Amino acid sequence: AQSVTQLDSQVPVFEEAPVELRCNYSSSVSVYLFWYVQYPNQGLQLLLKYLSGSTLVKGINGFEAEFNKSQTSFHLRKPSVHISDTAEYFCAVSDLGGGFKTIFGAGTRLFVKA
Amino acid sequence: SQTIHQWPATLVQPVGSPLSLECTVEGTSNPNLYWYRQAAGRGLQLLFYSVGIGQISSEVPQNLSASRPQDRQFILSSKKLLLSDSGFYLCAWSVEGSPQPQHFGDGTRLSIL
């Protein structure tokens, strides 16, 4: 069975500082990996996804993530954050044969301070 | 362009009352449709998904049910709500064959009293 662990429930960071949100997964088969962002009282928005190919994936709003198969990780990074990046971020995984059973992590709340 | 509408945005219901949450998608045909529940401090839990009219798969046995009476309409229902049904409910869709939900509605915050 698949699982997703987001290692930090909250990450406070100052504006213009770099940030990394950590995500580890477990699966016995090859996977697709995703990061979503959720602003207060809204649905989720897909930030980026890894399906195959290059392990460095670039997404919207200046975010990127790197797939590391040996460490089963998919950490999300941004070199310089803005106040507007304050939100909850979810890592998710689905295996190639799992169809619609995407598993979500518990979320990491990113709080950007001025 | 495609849009997803989910309503109501907030709902307060007494224990034992019925529930009906509606979700519609526009601008696409034969989407995969999903209902998720999000509890505070936890990730999203997939409740139901549907690949076509009348085709519903349930992921978690509970007192909720889902129906898809039309291609782009997905309804979440309950005959008798429990306190534990409180939460944030999200509808989502993806293109046919896509491996993950791509677009989410703005959610319904359901409070059971």
Side-chain angles (χ1 to χ4, degrees):
Chain A
Q2 304 161 71
S3 68
V4 179
T5 302
Q6 291 184 243
L7 298 159
D8 306 293
S9 59
Q10 296 185 59
V11 174
V13 63
F14 284 103
E15 193 174 20
E16 298 184 4
V19 70
E20 178 180 82
L21 306 183
R22 297 180 293 168
C23 173
N24 286 91
Y25 70 93
S26 66
S27 176
S28 57
V29 298
S30 297
V31 296
Y32 298 136
L33 293 157
F34 315 92
W35 275 100
Y36 292 82
V37 60
Q38 183 181 33
Y39 299 103
N41 296 312
Q42 294 185 24
L44 278 68
Q45 180 181 5
L46 183 64
L47 267 181
L48 49 79
K49 59 185 175 183
Y50 171 79
L51 303 182
S52 64
S54 173
T55 56
L56 183 62
V57 181
K58 292 190 183 297
I60 61 173
N61 301 342
F63 284 93
E64 64 180 31
E66 185 158 20
F67 170 54
N68 188 318
K69 188 175 182 179
S70 63
Q71 296 186 9
T72 60
S73 68
F74 191 55
H75 301 333
L76 180 71
R77 302 186 184 99
K78 186 170 182 178
S80 176
V81 295
H82 304 291
I83 297 286
S84 59
D85 292 322
T86 294
E88 186 123 25
Y89 293 79
F90 292 92
C91 182
V93 60
S94 62
D95 68 57
L96 299 189
F100 312 98
K101 298 181 184 180
T102 302
I103 306 299
F104 286 79
T108 296
R109 175 139 180 85
L110 175 64
F111 180 59
V112 181
K113 300 177 286 186
Chain B
S1 64
Q2 304 95 350
T3 56
I4 178 169
H5 301 282
Q6 186 181 341
W7 69 93
T10 59
L11 188 61
V12 180
Q13 291 284 94
V15 170
S17 63
L19 173 73
S20 180
L21 302 182
E22 190 160 343
C23 173
T24 60
V25 179
E26 296 177 0
T28 188
S29 58
N30 202 31
N32 301 324
L33 295 171
Y34 313 78
W35 277 112
Y36 286 88
R37 178 167 59 202
Q38 182 180 17
R42 302 177 67 177
L44 275 68
Q45 179 186 36
L46 178 62
L47 302 175
F48 302 94
Y49 67 89
S50 171
V51 300
I53 296 174
Q55 300 179 63
I56 309 294
S57 295
S58 174
E59 291 298 302
V60 183
Q62 52 202 323
N63 68 318
L64 298 172
S65 62
S67 61
R68 185 171 177 172
Q70 300 180 44
D71 181 44
R72 289 167 288 179
Q73 183 185 29
F74 205 25
I75 298 171
L76 182 69
S77 304
S78 174
K79 293 181 179 178
K80 293 180 74 172
L81 287 166
L82 307 173
L83 282 174
S84 57
D85 291 324
S86 292
F88 192 52
Y89 289 81
L90 290 160
C91 180
W93 73 273
S94 64
V95 297
E96 186 179 7
S98 171
Q100 90 290 343
Q102 294 168 305
H103 306 280
F104 284 78
D106 285 337
T108 295
R109 187 160 301 284
L110 176 63
S111 300
I112 310 300
L113 303 178

